[in-house]
Amino acid sequence: MTAILQYDFMRRAFIVGVLLAVVIPCVGVIVVLKRLSMIGDALSHSSLAGVAAGLIMGFNPLLGAGAACVAAALAIEAIRKKIPRYSEISIAVVMSAGIGLAGVLSGFVGNAANFNSFLFGSIVAISNFEMRLVIFVSLAVAAVFVLLYKELFFIALDEQAARIAGVPTGTVNFIFTILTAFTVSVAARTVGALIVSSLMVVPVACAMQLAGSYRQTVILSVCFAVLFTLCGLTLSYYARLKPGATIVLTGVFCLTLILIGKKIMRRGS
Amino acid sequence: MNAVVQAENLSFRYRDEPVFTRVNFSIEPGAFLAVIGANGAGKSTLLRLILGELTPAAGSVRLFGREARQFHDWFRVGFLPQSSPAAGENFPATAEEIASANVFARLGLFRFPGPQHRARTREALRLVGMEQYAGRLISSLSGGQRQRVMLARVLAAEPDFLLLDEPTTGVDAAAVAALFDLLTRLNREKGLTVMMATHDTERAAAHVSRVLCLENASLLELDKAQLEEELRHKHKHPVMEDGALSAGGGL
């Protein structure tokens, strides 16, 4: 372990990875419980359109990703309000629009390798600016998640009941949507746009198999995500694998083990 | 003292189809009242108008003296929606966490609950007889128990007015009896105003002090004699023209 940490780029990767592993599942718990698991996918694919726009027009692709994510998130929320019973529709629509736009724009990007680094992320090659951005976004997400803990829980449980009980659901949903967008866009750079949503959903899925309460679900989700990140990064360093993809595969492997383990336990009892 | 609910010439249409036309009624503090009517007669619509979720086509409905759409003191109102069997089935939260949602909502944004708020949640769970299940996951409870947790959630915020939409659907007979006993006790001992939409006329009639009947776009308060007729499927609404065939759809 100490051998890895003598390299500056690996130290950074661990810092950024762990920070994101703490905040992404917090967003993920609410997203999963609101039955919007695919929102991460829709947002991250839309962020690629922003990345392409940034690369073409010469501004920081991460800022482009952030702007595209916020626009996509607001569009999802707007469509969801129009068709509340089939909220998946809004995600599918925005996702196709995002992919379409990213596809068209990527044709104009001169350096394809640069664009590709956003597909699977490049956590071992992030700049100072990007690291500061990750730290800032992580702190903001963590603060809002703690401050709005009870409201987010109520909305995830029953949005109508929350509104009738006096929760300002419009405001809380708006803040949460923006937050999700920022989280996804910075995570897209590090673990990759194609796999950020699995980091949002897989740790939560693991936690839900074991937790005995909502609070435990949140805490366990964070623990799982941190564990996957640490294992994934270490493994990818020694086996020369792509870090983002390794992190996610570690998570899926762990979920499979938990599901099989539960089945055996149930049969045993 | 203001009426809890005051409806004046209240009309509502669902796409050109009138749900009810020029309905008048008022609910005084401390009343225990049931709205009966067949499925689709507009009971839930009436509740949603009172909750300010729908806008009247004409007329007005006031809640504690304020137009329902402009009402803000939502902590005074508790609402138990119609429970669907799937509600909360896989939600990873304990009975206590769910029961505390309304109390915590009453705190407002950016505030953290203290021991007194937890105590109120516990008290509400005790009231509905679910205290011993406080730490259990909601998904491990039966449909009736889950409904009692939802009721505790609403009661913990100590509302003045409780609205229930079809609370007897999908719940076994013993749970229904326990629910009516509890509502009667809260109504008598704490002066809680209760309004319930139900198609279970028989059981409601035995407990409530007033019965409103929604049928053929009109609302009629049933007196004792009419209620007995309703229970025998026979009373008629004055505006009705087509006689015996559509009469008494209350059950």
Side-chain angles (χ1 to χ4, degrees), chain A residues 71-101:
Chain A
L74 294 179
I76 289 174
E77 197 63 19
I79 301 173
R80 200 170 73 86
K81 259 183 222 154
K82 292 259 188 291
I83 325 171
R85 273 172 204 275
Y86 296 92
S87 43
E88 319 88 78
I89 292 179
S90 62
I91 292 173
V93 169
V94 170
M95 186 151 151
S96 352
I99 295 175
L101 203 56

Side-chain angles (χ1 to χ4, degrees), chain A residues 33 35 146-151 153-154 156-158 160-168 171-172 175 208 211-217, chain B residues 48 51 53 74-75 77 79 81 88 90-94 97-98 101-102 104-113 135-137 150 153:
Chain A
L33 295 180
R35 305 285 162 105
V146 171
L147 287 173
L148 294 180
Y149 183 87
K150 60 189 194 311
E151 282 80 14
F153 168 74
F154 204 167
L157 175 69
D158 186 339
Q160 188 202 25
R163 190 172 51 243
I164 291 169
V167 175
T171 314
V172 174
I175 296 174
M208 279 172 75
S213 69
Y214 174 73
R215 179 192 283 267
Q216 277 179 23
T217 308
Chain B
R48 292 181 66 193
L51 289 167
E53 295 215 313
W74 286 111
F75 64 87
V77 181
F79 174 55
N90 290 310
F91 201 87
T94 62
E97 282 177 317
I98 287 181
N102 281 49
F104 290 2
R106 215 179 139 168
L107 277 173
L109 289 177
F110 311 128
R111 300 218 185 159
F112 294 95
R136 286 269 294 272
L137 274 177
M150 294 303 169
R153 171 171 73 70

Side-chain angles (χ1 to χ4, degrees), chain A residues 87-268:
Chain A
S87 43
E88 319 88 78
I89 292 179
S90 62
I91 292 173
V93 169
V94 170
M95 186 151 151
S96 352
I99 295 175
L101 203 56
V104 169
L105 288 177
S106 68
F108 297 97
V109 177
N111 183 356
N114 215 340
F115 183 74
N116 286 348
S117 79
F118 280 87
L119 290 178
F120 288 100
S122 47
I123 195 167
V124 290
I126 49 173
S127 67
N128 269 333
F129 169 72
E130 285 163 346
M131 184 155 116
R132 260 178 270 146
L133 204 60
V134 168
I135 293 172
F136 173 76
V137 169
S138 304
L139 290 179
V141 172
V144 171
F145 185 76
V146 171
L147 287 173
L148 294 180
Y149 183 87
K150 60 189 194 311
E151 282 80 14
L152 288 171
F153 168 74
F154 204 167
I155 291 176
L157 175 69
D158 186 339
E159 189 159 345
Q160 188 202 25
R163 190 172 51 243
I164 291 169
V167 175
T169 51
T171 314
V172 174
N173 275 335
F174 179 78
I175 296 174
F176 181 73
T177 304
I178 299 290
L179 223 56
T180 311
F182 280 139
T183 312
V184 169
S185 53
V186 295
R189 173 66 178 151
T190 49
V191 291
L194 296 180
I195 30 194
V196 52
S197 76
S198 16
L199 209 49
M200 207 173 253
V201 175
V202 176
V204 181
C206 291
M208 279 172 75
Q209 301 304 318
L210 306 174
S213 69
Y214 174 73
R215 179 192 283 267
Q216 277 179 23
T217 308
V218 173
I219 295 172
L220 276 178
S221 300
V222 171
C223 292
F224 274 118
V226 171
L227 181 76
F228 301 160
T229 305
L230 294 179
C231 292
L233 275 177
T234 312
L235 204 63
S236 68
Y237 173 82
Y238 286 112
R240 297 173 188 283
L241 304 169
K242 279 193 189 302
T246 314
I247 291 170
V248 167
L249 285 180
T250 312
V252 174
F253 179 69
C254 181
L255 176 63
T256 315
L257 281 188
I258 291 175
L259 289 174
I260 293 172
K262 264 187 99 174
K263 194 157 194 181
I264 293 171
M265 294 267 279
R266 204 171 297 153
R267 198 170 291 167

Side-chain angles (χ1 to χ4, degrees), chain B residues 60-81:
Chain B
S60 75
V61 53
R62 291 171 167 275
L63 201 51
F64 294 104
R66 270 198 90 135
E67 202 67 49
R69 292 291 276 186
Q70 265 97 54
F71 188 73
H72 289 300
D73 301 333
W74 286 111
F75 64 87
R76 299 186 70 181
V77 181
F79 174 55
L80 189 67

Side-chain angles (χ1 to χ4, degrees), chain B residues 2-59:
Chain B
N2 266 327
V4 176
V5 177
Q6 178 88 48
E8 276 166 9
N9 293 321
L10 181 66
S11 300
F12 188 77
R13 263 183 274 279
Y14 182 69
R15 295 190 179 135
D16 291 344
E17 190 77 21
V19 180
F20 36 77
T21 317
R22 268 174 283 149
V23 158
N24 289 287
F25 67 91
S26 79
I27 302 175
E28 300 307 317
F32 187 176
L33 155 156
V35 182
I36 61 170
N39 283 330
K43 301 188 298 288
S44 296
T45 307
L46 184 62
L47 295 194
R48 292 181 66 193
L49 279 161
I50 293 173
L51 289 167
E53 295 215 313
L54 298 172
T55 313

